[in-house]
Amino acid sequence: MKVTVKRNTGVMGGLARISLFIDDEEKLKLKNNEEQMIVTDKDSIVIQAKQLLFASKPMQLHRDEYVEIKLSQIYLSLFWIAIFCLFLSMMIYDKLLKFIFAAVGFIIMIIATVYGSNRCFILEKTNREDR
């Protein structure tokens, strides 16, 4: 059985490699835009992508499938909103507004971290024609 996995996460998280777990065992690490082929004797495998505190949901794959690892747009949006709120809190002179924006940014950052712990990466099956 052959399965091809490609990392396509863009700039976010590009400095650290993504660990690819196959059947709950770390097998390889992927750089951005790197593609690897997994060859095994089994009929199906379960893969999961992990990077630092963040991961994807496990996905079961069968013969000759092609999977792309992408970033969740919800996670990415939450992350940028939190960064914007924190940056804005540094620019505001009013202490109350500064506190409100800092608190909102911090809370959204915590929500993004909790959300991303199991949904930061999306494993997406694509057809060979789509490549």
Side-chain angles (χ1 to χ4, degrees):
M1 172 176 125
K2 294 186 289 186
V3 173
T4 306
V5 179
K6 181 179 181 183
R7 177 181 173 181
N8 189 11
T9 55
V11 179
M12 290 293 292
L15 295 177
R17 294 178 179 217
I18 290 180
S19 298
L20 194 62
F21 285 76
I22 301 169
D23 295 329
D24 292 327
E25 188 177 325
E26 184 178 354
K27 292 290 184 179
L28 48 104
K29 293 182 181 258
L30 296 172
K31 295 185 285 186
N32 198 20
N33 292 324
E34 184 178 4
E35 187 173 301
Q36 290 285 336
M37 184 179 293
I38 301 164
V39 180
T40 182
D41 300 345
K42 301 176 183 179
D43 291 335
S44 68
I45 58 173
V46 176
I47 68 167
Q48 184 177 22
K50 293 184 179 181
Q51 183 184 46
L52 303 174
L53 301 173
F54 306 107
S56 69
K57 291 183 178 180
M59 175 185 274
Q60 187 167 11
L61 299 174
H62 301 285
R63 185 170 302 265
D64 296 330
E65 289 188 307
Y66 183 81
V67 177
E68 277 193 60
I69 301 171
K70 297 182 176 184
L71 272 178
S72 167
Q73 293 303 310
I74 296 172
Y75 166 75
L76 203 54
S77 298
L78 287 173
F79 177 78
W80 285 115
I81 290 170
I83 294 295
F84 178 74
C85 286
L86 292 172
F87 182 73
L88 196 58
S89 73
M90 292 187 316
M91 302 303 228
I92 295 175
Y93 292 108
D94 185 11
K95 289 184 180 181
L96 180 62
L97 284 177
K98 182 183 282 265
F99 175 76
I100 290 171
F101 276 104
V104 168
F106 183 70
I107 290 169
I108 292 174
M109 188 64 79
I110 290 173
I111 291 169
T113 303
V114 170
Y115 177 84
S117 68
N118 228 9
R119 295 181 199 98
C120 179
F121 300 108
I122 296 174
L123 301 175
E124 186 177 283
K125 293 181 187 179
T126 57
N127 296 329
R128 293 198 183 274
E129 296 83 35
D130 294 342
R131 286 197 256 172

